[in-house]
Amino acid sequence: MDELIRAVTVAETPDQMVTAVKNLAATKDPSAIPTLIAVFGYNNPEAGIVAAAALTQLGEIAVPQLLDQIDDYNYGARAYSIRTIAAISDPRALDILISTTLTDFAPSVRRAAAKGLGNLQWQKLDISASQIAINRALETLLFICEDTDWSIRYAAIVGLQALAKVAIVQSPIFAKLQLMLTNDTEKAVRARVQLALAQ
């Protein structure tokens, strides 16, 4: 394992890096998690995608380290981390997904977080905790439905559509979607609302 980790850190070309990350990912070993997260900051998109897929496969065991190691300075690394956290769907990510959805300067990162908010595995929380968490996600998604960036509103609809599978919040979601269908100025957003309402 040490040799595979070392191969990632000493890779001299982008191709060597990708090969080393693929070899490390193939082990599916939790001890690879810190190195896989570090790959997000190496400015190698192909290696970043491989690392993200490997961490997503490892699942909830990777979540604490992903949350601890989010890079506030490197936009690319942060984007991979948020997308990976969203894909794993662990409800422990709720706080970071909410704050990212609301405040991140990068629209693509905000979109990934918004979509992730709708897909969290609420059943992993007890009933009272899950209701509080679901309501916080709902409040955040409803708020960004008013965002000036149409792509953020679009992502909010994707998140709301997923969240609508939870019975306790269906009525405010459908009310909001109906309002957006009438009032939103962006054709792509209205089309996405129609798709959500048809589900």
Side-chain angles (χ1 to χ4, degrees):
M1 205 50 210
D2 288 349
E3 195 58 38
L4 290 170
I5 288 170
R6 201 177 79 80
V8 173
T9 60
V10 301
E12 292 181 356
T13 68
D15 287 346
Q16 283 179 5
M17 167 70 68
V18 171
T19 300
V21 175
K22 283 179 177 173
N23 291 338
L24 183 61
T27 66
K28 296 182 169 59
D29 189 320
S31 65
I33 291 170
T35 306
L36 291 169
I37 294 171
V39 169
F40 290 164
Y42 290 167
N43 196 23
N44 182 323
E46 195 179 341
I49 289 166
V50 173
L55 289 162
T56 303
Q57 281 190 328
L58 283 164
E60 60 187 44
I61 196 169
V63 170
Q65 291 181 71
L66 278 162
L67 292 173
D68 283 346
Q69 295 183 48
I70 285 181
D71 194 320
D72 289 334
Y73 302 103
N74 182 325
Y75 150 72
R78 194 170 69 258
Y80 282 119
S81 292
I82 294 296
R83 287 189 192 110
T84 304
I85 288 166
I88 294 170
S89 307
D90 191 298
R92 287 175 293 179
L94 179 69
D95 287 341
I96 189 69
L97 290 177
I98 286 175
S99 64
T100 302
T101 297
L102 294 174
T103 64
D104 202 279
F105 71 86
S108 63
V109 181
R110 290 182 67 200
R111 290 195 298 269
K115 291 172 185 174
L117 269 180
N119 276 315
L120 294 176
Q121 296 173 30
W122 310 110
Q123 71 278 10
K124 291 187 174 178
L125 300 170
D126 66 51
I127 290 175
S128 64
S130 74
Q131 288 185 337
I132 291 166
I134 288 165
N135 283 325
R136 288 181 64 208
L138 175 65
E139 188 180 303
T140 303
L141 290 169
L142 290 175
F143 180 77
I144 64 162
C145 284
E146 308 298 328
D147 201 273
T148 54
D149 181 337
W150 73 266
S151 72
I152 301 296
R153 301 198 302 278
Y154 189 102
I157 297 160
V158 177
L160 287 170
Q161 182 182 348
L163 197 59
K165 293 172 186 161
V166 183
I168 61 167
V169 292
Q170 282 182 346
S171 58
I173 290 174
F174 290 129
K176 185 65 173 179
L177 292 177
Q178 291 286 1
L179 202 62
M180 291 179 79
L181 188 59
T182 307
N183 296 338
D184 202 283
T185 55
E186 180 60 47
K187 188 177 179 182
V189 172
R190 294 196 305 274
R192 190 62 186 82
V193 168
Q194 285 181 314
L195 183 65
L197 288 170
Q199 296 299 305

